[in-house]
Every structure is written in structure tokens, then in C-alpha cells.
């Protein structure tokens, strides 16, 4: 079992920046591929970025060059640095942990990001 707690969401103007954090507990963090998903109203949840333990990150085309995912295995935390935010980045952002072998998914409760002037 993995428990995930996100933080860092909020309201920001277009062009601004936010950093999301996701703290994990309850299991060995390095056994999990970590990711950030988002869900806008009326849309399906979509992958924003993911990072395996010790591997290279992967990004959705819509956020490449603007968002950076990173993880600190010593702190059991994954981050999403979001720069040059746009109104269509507005969504609830969810932290995801996927066990590297079983592929079982765990989800955080979500954090709202609103980009608006």
C-alpha cells in the first residue's frame, strides 16, 4: 500500500509558475514509477509526465519544454515544476504511483491548478 499526498496547487496567472509536490509513504518508494496526471472538467484524465526510479522522464507533448518532473528517493517525494502556465493547463492534478512489477496503481487525492487572469 502506498499513500500519496499532493500539495502546491493554486491560482496563478497565465505565464506564471507553480511547483507541485507529492509525498509518498507506506512502501518502498524506489519500487514505483511515479507520474502526474490531470483531469479538466468534462475531459478524461490524461498523463502529464512520468518518471521511473533511476530512469528518464516522459512528457505529454502539450507540456514539453514547460514542465519538469523530478523525484527525490531519499525524501519519498516527486515534484512537478510547471512554468509558462496556460489557461488550458487548468485541471485537477493527480499524483500516481505504479509498482514497477505488479503495475498496480495508487492515486493521491488531487490538487487543483487554475490558470486565469
Amino acid at each position: 500500500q502506498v499513500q500519496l499526498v499532493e500539495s502546491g496547487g493554486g491560482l496563478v496567472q497565465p505565464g506564471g509558475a507553480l511547483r507541485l509536490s507529492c509525498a509518498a509513504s507506506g512502501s518502498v518508494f524506489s519500487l514505483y514509477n511515479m507520474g502526474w496526471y490531470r483531469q479538466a472538467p468534462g475531459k478524461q484524465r490524461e498523463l502529464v509526465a512520468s518518471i521511473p526510479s533511476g530512469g528518464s522522464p516522459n512528457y505529454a507533448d502539450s507540456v514539453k519544454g514547460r514542465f519538469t518532473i523530478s523525484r527525490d528517493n531519499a525524501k519519498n517525494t516527486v515534484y512537478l515544476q510547471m512554468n509558462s502556465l496556460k489557461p488550458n493547463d487548468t485541471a485537477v492534478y493527480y499524483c500516481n504511483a505504479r509498482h514497477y512489477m505488479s503495475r498496480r496503481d495508487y492515486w493521491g487525492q488531487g490538487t487543483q491548478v487554475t490558470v486565469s487572469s
Side-chain angles (χ1 to χ4, degrees):
Q1 283 281 351
V2 177
Q3 292 79 46
L4 303 171
V5 178
E6 301 106 332
S7 60
L11 173 64
V12 64
Q13 292 187 341
L18 282 175
R19 188 174 85 152
L20 305 183
S21 299
C22 172
S25 61
S27 188
V28 180
F29 185 67
S30 60
L31 296 179
Y32 293 83
N33 297 329
M34 301 300 297
W36 288 96
Y37 288 71
R38 67 186 180 187
Q39 188 166 19
K43 295 188 177 181
Q44 290 189 332
R45 191 173 296 190
E46 62 175 359
L47 175 66
V48 175
S50 62
I51 184 168
S53 184
S56 299
N58 177 59
Y59 298 95
D61 287 344
S62 59
V63 306
K64 282 181 181 176
R66 300 189 297 123
F67 291 10
T68 303
I69 189 171
S70 60
R71 63 188 292 165
D72 186 334
N73 286 352
K75 295 183 178 179
N76 291 356
T77 301
V78 62
Y79 306 96
L80 185 68
Q81 178 66 43
M82 305 186 293
N83 298 329
S84 302
L85 282 161
K86 304 175 181 180
N88 60 7
D89 293 318
T90 295
V92 178
Y93 283 71
Y94 295 91
C95 180
N96 169 266
R98 177 171 295 169
H99 192 275
Y100 85 102
M101 185 171 289
S102 71
R103 314 302 289 174
R104 181 172 179 177
D105 281 318
Y106 298 88
W107 296 93
Q109 81 285 358
T111 185
Q112 177 70 46
V113 172
T114 302
V115 184
S116 175
S117 55

